[in-house]
Amino acid sequence: MTYAKRGLDVALRWLCIGLFAALVLIVVWQVFSRQVLNAPSTWSEELAKYVFIWLGLFGAALVFGERGHIAVDALVRKMPRRLQRWNAVLGQIVIAAFAVLVLVYGGWQVSELAWNQSMPGLPLKVGWLYLALPLSGVLVLFYTVYHLVAVVRGVENATADGEPDAI
């Protein structure tokens, strides 16, 4: 599972780099066409919004996989190690439920509903935009299971920093 996570981390990093580079190029073209050519591009603003959404969702999944998300753990750090571990397990279960119900299931439902709607400025369907939700949900779910197993086995610390817990 560690090898799969590492491979997924690398793929997600490159995907995020590619999406960010595309976003920069699209916005530069939008500014250039508007300010220099005096003929604003009809597609670039809409595409930039969608690329930004995909970048945000996949970037969030990547940060979640690295356990780099914001955590206020002042109270948890004062708990005994055993309670810290149970708290981390409960947190991962809640995150897994959110990923499955909201991101995967809800995102798939929204994507299906919008699949035949056309985007005004692009030759794509709106469903493609919403497809980022279930895809990022699957990624978050994978990372959740990975971290849940690691915390239970004592390979990862319950508070995402410091030395791993001993079983």
Side-chain angles (χ1 to χ4, degrees):
M1 195 167 188
T2 302
Y3 295 115
K5 181 191 177 297
R6 286 183 191 151
L8 188 58
D9 288 347
V10 170
L12 264 178
R13 275 190 203 105
W14 281 108
L15 177 64
C16 288
I17 289 168
L19 286 170
F20 186 74
L23 181 62
V24 168
L25 291 174
I26 293 164
V27 171
V28 165
W29 172 251
Q30 174 66 22
V31 171
F32 178 79
S33 67
R34 182 180 305 247
Q35 299 298 323
V36 176
L37 302 178
N38 287 328
S41 173
T42 58
W43 55 268
S44 58
E45 183 176 350
E46 192 167 0
L47 184 59
K49 284 189 280 189
Y50 297 138
V51 170
F52 183 72
I53 291 167
W54 277 66
L55 176 61
L57 288 169
F58 289 118
L62 178 62
V63 169
F64 184 80
E66 295 173 348
R67 292 186 81 180
H69 49 77
I70 296 173
V72 180
D73 59 359
L75 182 62
V76 174
R77 288 176 183 269
K78 295 187 185 298
M79 294 178 180
R81 288 276 187 200
R82 191 169 196 88
L83 281 177
Q84 286 181 14
R85 190 178 311 175
W86 280 106
N87 182 63
V89 167
L90 178 63
Q92 295 298 324
I93 290 170
V94 169
I95 292 168
F98 176 83
V100 168
L101 294 174
V102 175
L103 293 174
V104 176
Y105 178 74
W108 184 257
Q109 294 295 319
V110 170
S111 183
E112 271 189 329
L113 286 173
W115 199 256
N116 293 322
Q117 295 176 9
S118 296
M119 294 182 198
L122 297 170
L124 297 172
K125 300 292 184 182
V126 176
W128 285 101
L129 166 68
Y130 292 118
L131 203 56
L133 287 166
L135 292 175
S136 66
V138 169
L139 295 171
V140 168
L141 184 60
F142 171 80
Y143 284 129
T144 300
V145 170
Y146 176 84
H147 292 306
L148 179 64
V149 169
V151 167
V152 168
R153 289 179 52 212
V155 177
E156 283 185 5
N157 191 5
T159 57
D161 62 346
E163 293 299 316
D165 297 333
I167 296 179

